[in-house]
Amino acid sequence: MAPFSKAGAALAVFRADLAGDAFAPEDPGYDEARKVHNGMIDRRPAVIAQCAEEADVIRSVRFGRELDLPIAVRGGGHSVAGMALNDGGLVIDLRRMHEVTVDPGSQSVRVQGGALMSHLDRATQPYGLATTGGRVSTTGVGGFVLGGGSGWLDRLFGLAVDNLLGVELVTAEGTTVRATAEENPELFWALHGGGGNFGIATALTLRLHELPEFSMALLMYPPENGPEAVRRYRDIIATGPPEASGAVIYLTAPPEEFVPEHVVGQRVCGVLLTYAGGEEGLRELAEPLLAVPHEVEMVAALPYADFQCMLDDPPGLRNHWSAEYLTGLPDDLVDVYCALGDKMPVPTGTQHVLFPQGGAIAEGPAEYPVPYRNAPWAVHPFGVWEDPADDERCVQWVKGVRAAVQPWSTGAVYLNFIGDEGGDRVVAGLGTEHTRRLAAVKAAYDPDNVFRFNHNIPPVPG
């Protein structure tokens, strides 16, 4: 790093040039600016640049390069590994850049790089349009899409990355580039799963789809009825339309009005059946689930954007997640999954999630670096807790889930669902052949590996 006097003078000039703000450790607001979703992450950057426009992003990259500062990029700050932060470097924070512009005529939307899923969903809802988004509203759109993008609508509309029409990037040299199917097509290909390795996405253009109605059924079963409920949900998905999706979720029953008092704080097997259509069609699909004795039943039509906020996990809690993508969901795996749910740490915010793929996911473009596309099911142990004393048991439970389902694992993984699990897992999330090709794109656009606070692809010239 540069000597302090030079760095201090450079920071003063940098602040004056920014339309947004810059925070150093001694500044009011610094500690708030460095908070991320995962409360286990406690890093202290030298500078946090909260950018207000693309020109700020360019200035920030050049500032960081001139002072030889490591550069991290923050969109939503939802990465479980805390990849939006570093120690002693520069954080380029995009959160002020969250404008969403809907073009209903072309059924497309331009989303700035700091927008959250809630910004996107609320903007498209009035037009009866939507695209595949994350399973919570607080996820950043940029990282979600460029990492592949799995959500409640993906069986119908495809992965988020399948709906990517264009990306506006600031490169490691502090210049701008646009990537589409026609313009810089190799870079555009790499952005279909390669994440933030190639530049800072200041805006993305996405395809929208008509979604005039949306409905959901949430049922909570006592654990002894879990295996039967899971099997019935599995069979509904197997025979149902791609409009049907959702998840099985073992959880601690929350203190909500619709949850009976004697169930609150207890382990339950939740089944969430989502439907891109009206309540009547949903109820027909849900009949086998409704026939299994349950403690909680909520069936309703509601706006998709409202549903997207229902499962938000509060920021600042301690998080450790992982995932395995599965070759199928036979009865013996159902039993293993449910037994793991019976061992889940309770009461915590931890969730034991099992969700379907198939439909438009499996039918999507095979050439993109998303090798988990063909897996029909995935298990996602989602450790969330408050007390540091629970760190060991929650982390070990997540690792235990992965180990127990290994006989049914495809070996591929969705990188947005995992933390820093080593280079082999990054390759598993991209595919071996794709990784080689991505490394050549990385060498072309970021040969010095400036953008390395991510599921990193080291540059290797092709």
Side-chain angles (χ1 to χ4, degrees):
M1 183 172 170
F4 180 79
S5 58
K6 178 183 176 183
L11 178 58
V13 173
F14 178 56
R15 285 187 202 271
D17 287 345
L18 282 181
D21 289 322
F23 294 89
E26 64 274 11
D27 294 331
Y30 170 83
D31 283 330
E32 185 64 29
R34 71 185 181 93
K35 287 181 182 177
V36 290
H37 181 80
N38 188 354
M40 297 180 80
I41 306 301
D42 182 20
R43 296 180 184 145
R44 300 185 63 83
V47 181
I48 300 171
Q50 292 190 339
C51 300
E53 59 190 22
E54 182 183 70
D56 279 356
V57 179
I58 294 170
R59 294 182 187 105
S60 298
V61 170
R62 292 176 179 174
F63 170 77
R65 297 298 304 273
E66 287 168 6
L67 270 68
D68 197 24
L69 291 171
I71 296 175
V73 182
R74 176 174 185 153
H78 214 270
S79 158
V80 67
M83 294 173 177
L85 294 182
N86 58 30
D87 281 313
L90 169 66
V91 170
I92 299 178
D93 186 339
L94 305 178
R95 283 179 293 170
R96 296 191 183 190
M97 299 171 59
H98 55 72
E99 182 178 313
V100 178
T101 307
V102 180
D103 184 347
S106 66
Q107 291 195 187
S108 64
V109 60
R110 181 180 182 272
V111 186
Q112 284 192 312
L116 302 181
M117 209 57 61
S118 57
H119 295 122
L120 171 58
D121 294 333
R122 293 296 179 191
T124 60
Q125 183 76 52
Y127 300 97
L129 298 170
T131 194
T132 298
R135 291 176 172 84
V136 295
S137 70
T138 53
T139 301
V141 175
F144 168 79
V145 173
L146 299 183
S150 167
W152 306 118
L153 298 175
D154 52 13
R155 281 172 39 82
L156 181 60
F157 298 149
L159 297 170
V161 79
D162 296 340
N163 294 285
L164 184 62
L165 300 175
V167 184
E168 298 161 43
L169 285 180
V170 172
T171 71
E173 297 302 317
T175 60
T176 59
V177 63
R178 179 170 172 80
T180 68
E182 294 78 31
E183 192 174 356
N184 299 303
E186 186 70 359
L187 174 61
F188 187 57
W189 170 84
L191 294 168
H192 285 72
N197 274 281
F198 313 102
I200 301 174
T202 55
L204 302 92
T205 302
L206 302 169
R207 182 184 299 109
L208 296 174
H209 305 265
E210 293 183 4
L211 186 68
E213 293 184 285
F214 188 85
S215 51
M216 53 79 68
L218 176 62
L219 297 102
M220 294 184 188
Y221 301 86
E224 60 267 24
N225 293 344
E228 180 62 22
V230 175
R231 288 183 175 92
R232 294 197 180 196
Y233 173 72
R234 173 196 64 190
D235 295 344
I236 289 170
I237 294 298
T239 59
E243 286 83 355
S245 189
V248 179
I249 310 170
Y250 273 80
L251 72 159
T252 302
E256 301 285 353
E257 289 183 6
F258 60 88
V259 179
E261 187 174 345
H262 73 277
V263 179
V264 172
Q266 302 300 307
R267 182 193 322 273
V268 294
C269 175
V271 175
L272 174 66
L273 179 61
T274 62
Y275 183 61
E279 184 177 341
E280 183 178 351
L282 171 67
R283 285 190 177 275
E284 290 181 12
L285 283 171
E287 281 181 5
L289 289 169
L290 294 168
V292 180
H294 49 277
E295 297 278 8
V296 173
E297 176 184 324
M298 183 169 59
V299 182
L302 73 169
Y304 171 69
D306 290 353
F307 170 74
Q308 279 283 73
C309 304
M310 285 183 59
L311 297 179
D312 286 358
D313 43 329
L317 297 178
R318 305 175 78 78
N319 284 253
H320 184 81
W321 323 329
S322 195
E324 289 293 337
Y325 280 69
L326 307 171
T327 56
L329 190 58
D331 285 345
D332 51 352
L333 178 52
V334 170
D335 292 339
V336 168
Y337 167 78
C338 292
L340 293 163
D342 290 338
K343 297 176 182 177
M344 187 186 78
V346 171
T348 66
T350 295
Q351 298 178 3
H352 183 34
V353 183
L354 174 75
F355 63 87
Q357 294 212 117
I361 305 169
E363 295 164 4
E367 67 268 21
Y368 295 146
V370 283
Y372 50 87
R373 181 187 295 281
N374 294 324
W377 289 88
V379 65
H380 179 29
F382 191 84
V384 180
W385 65 100
E386 187 171 5
D387 188 347
D390 285 330
D391 285 3
E392 179 67 16
R393 71 168 180 146
C394 290
V395 169
Q396 289 305 315
W397 175 79
V398 170
K399 292 180 177 179
V401 172
R402 278 198 62 206
V405 303
Q406 279 300 314
W408 299 274
S409 175
T410 67
V413 68
Y414 172 42
L415 294 176
N416 283 355
F417 274 170
I418 71 171
D420 183 0
E421 296 183 2
D424 288 348
R425 285 282 270 176
V426 174
V427 174
L430 301 170
T432 302
E433 293 303 317
H434 290 146
T435 300
R436 295 190 184 99
R437 183 176 169 188
L438 289 163
V441 180
K442 175 77 169 181
Y445 286 92
D446 184 14
D448 298 323
N449 204 11
V450 170
F451 302 121
R452 59 184 180 273
F453 294 94
N454 45 40
H455 290 296
N456 194 238
I457 303 167
V460 179

